[in-house]
Each structure stands twice: as C-alpha cells, then as structure tokens.
Amino acid sequence: MADKVNKNNRVSISEVAVASGVSKMTVSRVLRGEGGYSEKTRELVMRQVDKLGYLPNRLATVFAGDQASTFVGVSIPDLGNEVFAQVLEGIDRKLGAFGHQTVLGLTQHTQKEEEAWIRTVLSWQPAGLILTGRFHAPRASEMVKNAGIPVVEIWDLNSSPLDMSVGINHFDAGFDMGRYLIGCGYQNIGYVGTSHDTANAATTRLAGFSKAVETGGGAVNKQLCLHDTAGYYPGYYGTEQLLTSSPDIECIFYQNDAMAFGGMQYCVSKDMCVPEDIGIAGWGDLPIAAVMSKRLTSMHVPHLKLGQAAAEMMIARLSGEPTADVRDIGFTLIPGSTVRQPDPS
Amino acid sequence: MADKVNKNNRVSISEVAVASGVSKMTVSRVLRGEGGYSEKTRELVMRQVDKLGYLPNRLATVFAGDQASTFVGVSIPDLGNEVFAQVLEGIDRKLGAFGHQTVLGLTQHTQKEEEAWIRTVLSWQPAGLILTGRFHAPRASEMVKNAGIPVVEIWDLNSSPLDMSVGINHFDAGFDMGRYLIGCGYQNIGYVGTSHDTANAATTRLAGFSKAVETGGGAVNKQLCLHDTAGYYPGYYGTEQLLTSSPDIECIFYQNDAMAFGGMQYCVSKDMCVPEDIGIAGWGDLPIAAVMSKRLTSMHVPHLKLGQAAAEMMIARLSGEPTADVRDIGFTLIPGSTVRQPDPS
DNA sequence: AAGCAATAAGTTACCGGTAACGTATGAGAC
DNA sequence: GTCTCATACGTTACCGGTAACTTATTGCTT
C-alpha cells in the first residue's frame, strides 16, 4: 500500500476525459455542475468518475484559480486545558459545517512556536486564520497582515485587532471576581496559577483581580505561579505550597476550575471546611464545577459559543457578508457556595 | 485587509527573481539550499526575499512535484472527552516536531461524518491519515486504500488494519476490569455509559467486561446507555437513574472516569459510602482520578503516548523507515479504593 | 595555450485543474 | 434557403513551483 509514496497513481481529470471520450474541460464543467454540457455527456462522464474512483485534487484548483482554499489555520495553546478543547470543538464544528477544514497548531503558550506555525501554515494558502490570544511576535503580526486574509483573534478580546476579535475582557472579568470576593469580606487573598508569561489572558485577569482587591483594601500578596499545566494536581500541590508558607490566607483564587478543584481536594484532605475555613474561587465554569460537592464559585465563559462565534465571523468575512470586527462574548459570575456569602451591603 | 480575497497580492518566486536579476530557477535553488549557486547570488536573492517578504507557496510545490504534502489528516470523535483531547495533543506535538501539520476532523462518533471528512481531506493530497477507531464506512475504507498513503488506526487496536494500528484491545481491557471486580466479591454490577453505537471501543469494552462478569457468576443486567456526552453530569444523573430503578446494585462500572466522578458525587450526595455501600470503577485514569477524595479504581491507558506512537509510526512510514504495523500500547489496572478490596484468593 | 571538468547559471516542460476564448452544430425566424 | 444565435463542446494559456536538460563561465591540467 505505502510502497508508492508519490501520488501519481491518483486518477486525474484527464484520465476521466480520455475514458469518457471528451475533453478535460468538459469533465471539469460536469464536475462543477455549472452547465455547458448535455445530459448525455453528464451521464457519460459521471459513469467514468464512479468507475475510476476519481477524487478531485483541491490543491490544483486552489493553486490554479484566484479562489481561496477552504483551510482555516487555528492556533490553540494546548489541549490539556479543557477550556481550549471546548473552544476548538466549537470552531471545528462550525467551520466543518460550512465546508472548511481546520489546520491545527498547538503553540504551547509561546509566541515563538506561534510564529513558526504561522509561517508554515501561511505557505499552505489558508482562507483565514484563527489565533488564540492578542499578543503575537512582531514578525508573526507582519506576516499575517501581509497575507491579506481574514484573521480572528480569540479568547483575549483585542479592541484593536489585526482584523477581527472575539472573546472577553480578562481584566474586567478578573476585576469583577476580585470585587465579588472583597464583597464577601475577604481581605487576605491568595492566587494559584501557572502563567509564566506576561503576555497572556491569565496574567491580564490576575492584574484586574489584584486591582479590584487592592481597591477594596485587600491584598493579593501571595501569588503562586507554577511551571506546570493548569490541571487538577498542580492545583492540589500549589495549594499545599501556598498554605504552608502563608497559613493565614482566607481565600484562594485559581487560574481555572480544574486547579480550584485540586485545591479544594487538598483543603478537604487537611480537614479544612470550605468555605468556613477557606474560600475557593475558580474560573471558567468548567463541567466539573457543577458536580462538585459544593457548587464552585467561578466565572462562566461560553467557550463553545466563543469558538462558534469565531468561526461564524470567519465565514461571514470569507463570504463577503458584513460582520462586526470586535465581539465581546461576555461572562457571568457564578456565586457558588465555596466562598462566604457576600455582605448584604 | 480582507478586501482582496484572492491571493494575487502574495509575492511569488518570479518577483523575487526579477528583483534579484536572476532566473526563478536560481531563486528556487537558493531557497532550497541544495547548491548550484554562488555565495554572491545567494546573498542577492536572500536580500530580496527578506525585502519583499516572500513566503513560499507549498501548494505549488506539492502540486508540481511527486513529493507528498506534509499534511496529516487526523479524525477524532470529539474533544469534550478528555481522552481524545490528550491523544490529539500527543499526535499534533509529535507531528509538528517533524514538520507535519494536523488537519483536524471531528466525526462526532459517526461513520457518516468520518466518510465525508475523509473524502474532503483526501482531496488535499495529505501525506497520511490517522483515524480513530477500527470501524469505517465501506466507501471510506475503499477511498483510503485507493489513496495509497499511510494510515494509522488508533485507540481501538485493529489486528488486521487498513495499514497500521496502535491502541489497546478494549475487549481484553474490559475483561480484566470485570475479572477484578468479580475478584472483589461483586456479583450484581451495573454499567453507565453513552455508547449508542455497536461499532466503537466502549461497546467492545463492555462486551469484554460482561463476559468476565458472567464467567465469574455475576451479571451486568443493568446497562444504561445515555444519549449524551460522556462527561461528569451524565455520570451523575445516569447513576441516579440506575440506582433508582435498581437499588440493589453493588458496584457500577463507568464508560470513563469523568462519568465515574459524576456518579460518585451522586452517591456521596445521597449519603452513600464508597466503597462500603457501593463500588465505583471508572476507565481511562484521567487526571481527576488521582485527586479524588478516594483514589478512583480505573484502568490506565497512556493516551498522550498513544498519540505520540501513532505520529511516530506515521513519520517512520513516510520516511521509509521500518515500523511495526500493529502496536499494542497496553493498559494497567489501577486498584484504587473506590471498590472493595479483592479477596486474597 | 588548448583541453576538460566542475561550477553556475538559464530554458523548457510539466503537475491538475480552470478562465477565457474559439468553433461546430442545430433550431427557429424570416 | 440562409441568417441568427444559443448550446455544447474543444483549445490555449496560466497558476508557482521544480525536474531535467542545456549553456555559459571559471579554474585547473599538462
């Protein structure tokens, strides 16, 4: 099977033409179905198409004509994080429904990887790009602009995007969470996350969070940024580290719900009561938040919808329909019961 | 930016040639760096490449020559399931490291979607395909065979694959789990899953599981197959349904750990003790299994490694290196403490 | 200084489709 | 009967690279 790595054994339009006794242009017309042939000829050609198992070569079509390809490059930081898996699912479902294909790029949260991937994917003449985040290497931004194709920056809303952007304002979202926790009476608040990069959404979120806490007279002195994935276990041992060094912390804000769950498991294992002894707040309203023994205080972001919205904007732009350049998908605070009830003030 | 949807504004090799005052063949040689030009010419050309921001058109290269593309089509059922997200991550990381690009296809567990996606992706002349599962539509199998490119079927090990296969034997894995639970003294066992299709791994697993349980004198009379995603909440309400209709069940085997976690949360919410009142066994050894209040009884499958192995087999085949056609990646039973201790017999 | 090989180019043709244009055929109008 | 015009095709050229071949230039022998 794989002894012929070259593609020469594939049936081409010319072979169909010869077999049908017509010119390859006629075959092309029949296959595209835009008229200019008789019913008799159509049947003749289609019979040979079926018989020979002809499959079109889209490479040739795109290459030949002015028409754009149906590829859309999608860069995602990583898939271990459920958030991005959901976003990607939303994107691919919607793109697929409109006849587009997703070319995936896992950037591992680095601009360098993203730049390398952009360079490669652009060489495949994609119809458009969907990029996670609003921070890109200068060279990457330049290449993308020069490509002259639609681009949607997602997740971290960019008010002055390369082209289009959909997501939420993470500073505001962080701020709202901070204000809420202050309103619950917490002053000494900790943070556990994994962002080791200033140019990402989690860091922006933390900045907004800190701002709100400080405005409310509290402090987020204890920030722990692990060099690990943002999963359950890092949440567990991150909490252990944080509480060992700072046992007086009243409440912990996590980078996401997975980490918050891990943190909560640590607290429970140490016979601490949540929220009586310590408050726990996550982020993302992931599926697990709804099935924990206590409803996790979190921030709901419509991840699947976000991905779908990105794909919709891309498709609209590609088909020449009008579309907003910037779309705020919004967030909703989930009070939950893993932090104290807010003061009724 | 997007007012020019056609790609004509892209800089081509000819423009670089004119700007450098050489033929386009020379530019091509310089860019590929395989010799046949002077150092002076190289500098001349590279200066223009940088100046004009030339990006190669891989479409043309692949189209023109015999060489295969660097695309690899990867079909995945869905990404809501952490298992497949991990597998995909393993695949893409490894493929990317070897200069290949992933073209994603989400099949939603249906052969029909898979077939449609295969037809489309083959028209892009991919270097190879990685398909989840060993059951495909007849037309799909035929197309794949005719394409004459390497194919790796993953997840559900196929001992007589289309080309190559890597994964585990789900019947055996299910059987081992069934035997273990029988060994723990359970006889009246329930199952909660979401597989509504006979042609998938979960069903095969359940068949092996049932076989072992029956061999041990027990019964899996109560099987609940929900029409939902295999996540936390379906595990929760699936357990509720199952235990409401069959309160005498001693132990429940779940399609995966996420469902098992949801089920455990239901049991805990009803003041049932695990494993004293009811046994809980999951599948997959997902990250959450390690941070639950009790270590979840599960079956470890190296998902990331599986993805990487698939990519490695693909790369080996593409570069003409020898590689096994079938690779069993293995599984390990995690006894955990959410089922009773096995009889020391 | 002539001969010859190595090096550094240029030329031509082609991959598989499609746009643009040219041409044969037949039906209907007069 | 022939003129017109739509219909149903065929022909040619081109997209952006690269393989294969040809040609010009240089350097080194003897």
Side-chain angles (χ1 to χ4, degrees):
Chain A
M1 170 166 312
D3 48 2
K4 271 199 156 189
V5 177
N6 55 357
K7 59 189 204 294
N8 297 358
N9 48 345
R10 299 282 299 268
V11 180
S12 81
I13 205 171
S14 308
E15 295 173 55
V16 176
V18 171
S20 326
V22 297
S23 74
K24 63 177 196 167
M25 196 62 219
T26 299
V27 176
S28 172
R29 277 192 271 252
V30 169
L31 289 170
R32 279 174 298 148
E34 35 82 308
Y37 49 84
S38 66
E39 178 56 24
K40 205 185 69 185
T41 306
R42 198 192 68 80
E43 277 171 19
L44 221 98
V45 169
M46 289 313 287
R47 192 174 305 130
Q48 294 303 322
V49 164
D50 286 342
K51 191 174 161 193
L52 300 174
Y54 169 81
L55 281 182
N57 182 343
R58 297 275 287 122
L59 241 52
T61 308
V62 172
F63 168 64
D66 280 339
Q67 56 186 127
S69 78
T70 52
F71 281 130
V72 175
V74 180
S75 82
I76 296 284
D78 75 300
L79 288 172
N81 192 329
E82 216 173 336
V83 167
F84 296 124
Q86 285 181 11
V87 169
L88 178 59
E89 176 138 20
I91 292 174
D92 189 75
R93 288 263 167 88
K94 186 65 79 173
L95 284 180
F98 282 82
H100 288 272
Q101 289 79 46
T102 300
V103 180
L104 182 61
L106 258 32
T107 62
Q108 316 209 40
H109 297 272
T110 74
Q111 294 185 194
K112 209 176 140 213
E113 290 276 343
E114 191 195 49
E115 181 184 338
W117 175 80
I118 286 175
R119 183 182 303 277
T120 303
V121 83
L122 280 180
S123 74
W124 289 106
Q125 318 291 116
L129 292 180
I130 296 178
L131 307 175
T132 302
R134 62 192 166 101
F135 300 102
H136 316 286
R139 277 256 197 80
S141 298
E142 203 189 338
M143 280 190 292
V144 167
K145 276 182 202 156
N146 289 341
I149 54 176
V151 182
V152 185
E153 290 168 276
I154 62 171
W155 186 230
D156 195 359
L157 193 68
N158 193 346
S159 53
S160 52
L162 287 166
D163 182 15
M164 293 175 280
S165 180
V166 55
I168 64 162
N169 185 316
H170 286 257
F171 188 93
D172 291 354
F175 192 91
D176 278 18
M177 179 59 90
R179 194 170 48 189
Y180 180 74
L181 296 184
I182 284 287
C184 295
Y186 293 110
Q187 289 284 301
N188 188 3
I189 302 175
Y191 174 82
V192 176
T194 64
S195 39
H196 34 275
D197 180 4
T198 56
N200 71 26
T203 307
T204 306
R205 211 149 66 217
L206 177 56
F209 181 76
S210 299
K211 175 82 176 177
V213 170
E214 280 155 26
T215 303
V220 196
N221 294 320
K222 306 301 171 183
Q223 302 174 7
L224 194 65
C225 285
L226 308 163
H227 285 267
D228 205 331
T229 55
Y232 303 113
Y233 188 60
Y236 186 95
Y237 79 79
T239 304
E240 182 171 29
Q241 273 183 242
L242 189 69
L243 290 182
T244 303
S245 65
S246 315
D248 52 335
I249 281 176
E250 305 167 87
C251 179
I252 305 177
F253 176 45
Y254 291 83
Q255 188 179 326
N256 67 29
D257 287 354
M259 296 192 81
F261 176 80
M264 181 142 163
Q265 291 302 96
Y266 172 79
C267 293
V268 169
S269 77
K270 293 295 169 187
D271 293 323
M272 300 171 78
C273 286
V274 176
E276 290 78 7
D277 299 327
I278 189 156
I280 301 276
W283 209 88
D285 191 30
L286 298 179
I288 196 168
V291 290
M292 284 169 60
S293 47
K294 296 203 170 178
R295 184 54 164 94
L296 180 63
T297 297
S298 189
M299 184 71 82
H300 177 75
V301 182
H303 299 121
L304 203 73
K305 189 179 155 197
L306 196 159
Q308 290 177 330
E312 277 165 11
M313 287 165 83
M314 172 62 64
I315 290 160
R317 178 63 51 97
L318 286 172
S319 55
E321 285 162 29
T323 175
D325 285 351
V326 176
R327 182 167 166 194
D328 191 331
I329 203 88
F331 51 82
T332 316
L333 196 135
I334 309 287
S337 47
T338 56
V339 298
R340 290 199 293 256
Q341 287 290 100
D343 303 333
S345 59
Chain B
M1 169 165 310
D3 46 5
K4 269 199 156 187
V5 178
N6 53 356
K7 60 190 204 293
N8 297 357
N9 48 346
R10 298 281 300 266
V11 180
S12 82
I13 205 171
S14 309
E15 295 173 55
V16 176
V18 171
S20 327
V22 298
S23 73
K24 64 178 197 167
M25 196 60 218
T26 300
V27 176
S28 172
R29 277 191 272 252
V30 168
L31 289 170
R32 278 174 298 148
E34 34 84 306
Y37 49 85
S38 67
E39 178 56 23
K40 206 185 69 185
T41 305
R42 198 192 67 79
E43 279 171 18
L44 220 98
V45 169
M46 289 314 285
R47 193 174 305 130
Q48 294 303 321
V49 165
D50 286 343
K51 191 175 158 192
L52 299 174
Y54 169 80
L55 281 181
N57 183 343
R58 296 276 287 123
L59 241 54
T61 307
V62 172
F63 168 63
D66 280 339
Q67 55 186 127
S69 78
T70 52
F71 281 127
V72 175
V74 179
S75 82
I76 296 283
D78 75 301
L79 288 172
N81 193 329
E82 216 172 338
V83 167
F84 296 124
Q86 285 181 12
V87 169
L88 178 58
E89 176 138 20
I91 291 174
D92 188 74
R93 286 264 167 88
K94 187 63 81 176
L95 284 180
F98 282 82
H100 289 272
Q101 289 78 47
T102 300
V103 179
L104 182 62
L106 259 31
T107 62
Q108 316 210 41
H109 297 271
T110 75
Q111 293 185 192
K112 208 177 140 213
E113 290 275 343
E114 190 195 50
E115 181 184 339
W117 175 80
I118 286 175
R119 184 181 301 278
T120 303
V121 82
L122 280 180
S123 74
W124 290 106
Q125 317 292 117
L129 292 180
I130 296 178
L131 307 175
T132 301
R134 63 192 167 100
F135 300 102
H136 315 285
R139 279 257 196 81
S141 299
E142 202 190 336
M143 281 190 291
V144 166
K145 276 183 201 153
N146 288 342
I149 54 175
V151 182
V152 185
E153 291 167 274
I154 62 170
W155 186 229
D156 196 359
L157 193 68
N158 193 346
S159 54
S160 53
L162 287 166
D163 182 17
M164 292 175 281
S165 180
V166 55
I168 65 163
N169 185 316
H170 286 257
F171 188 93
D172 291 354
F175 191 90
D176 277 19
M177 179 59 88
R179 194 169 48 189
Y180 180 74
L181 295 184
I182 285 289
C184 294
Y186 294 110
Q187 289 283 302
N188 189 2
I189 302 177
Y191 173 82
V192 176
T194 64
S195 39
H196 34 273
D197 180 5
T198 56
N200 71 26
T203 307
T204 307
R205 211 149 68 216
L206 177 56
F209 181 77
S210 299
K211 175 83 177 177
V213 170
E214 281 155 25
T215 304
V220 196
N221 293 322
K222 307 300 171 184
Q223 302 174 6
L224 194 63
C225 286
L226 307 163
H227 285 268
D228 206 330
T229 54
Y232 302 113
Y233 188 61
Y236 185 96
Y237 79 78
T239 304
E240 182 171 28
Q241 273 183 242
L242 190 70
L243 290 182
T244 303
S245 64
S246 316
D248 51 335
I249 282 176
E250 305 167 88
C251 179
I252 305 177
F253 176 44
Y254 290 84
Q255 188 179 327
N256 68 27
D257 287 355
M259 297 192 81
F261 176 80
M264 181 142 162
Q265 291 301 97
Y266 172 78
C267 295
V268 169
S269 77
K270 293 294 168 189
D271 292 324
M272 300 172 78
C273 286
V274 177
E276 291 78 7
D277 300 327
I278 188 155
I280 300 277
W283 209 87
D285 190 30
L286 298 179
I288 196 167
V291 290
M292 284 169 60
S293 47
K294 295 202 170 179
R295 184 55 165 96
L296 180 65
T297 297
S298 189
M299 184 71 83
H300 177 76
V301 182
H303 299 123
L304 203 71
K305 189 178 156 197
L306 195 159
Q308 289 176 331
E312 276 164 13
M313 288 165 82
M314 173 60 65
I315 290 160
R317 178 63 50 97
L318 287 172
S319 55
E321 286 162 29
T323 175
D325 285 352
V326 177
R327 181 166 166 197
D328 192 330
I329 203 86
F331 51 81
T332 317
L333 196 134
I334 309 286
S337 48
T338 56
V339 299
R340 290 198 293 257
Q341 288 290 100
D343 304 334
S345 57

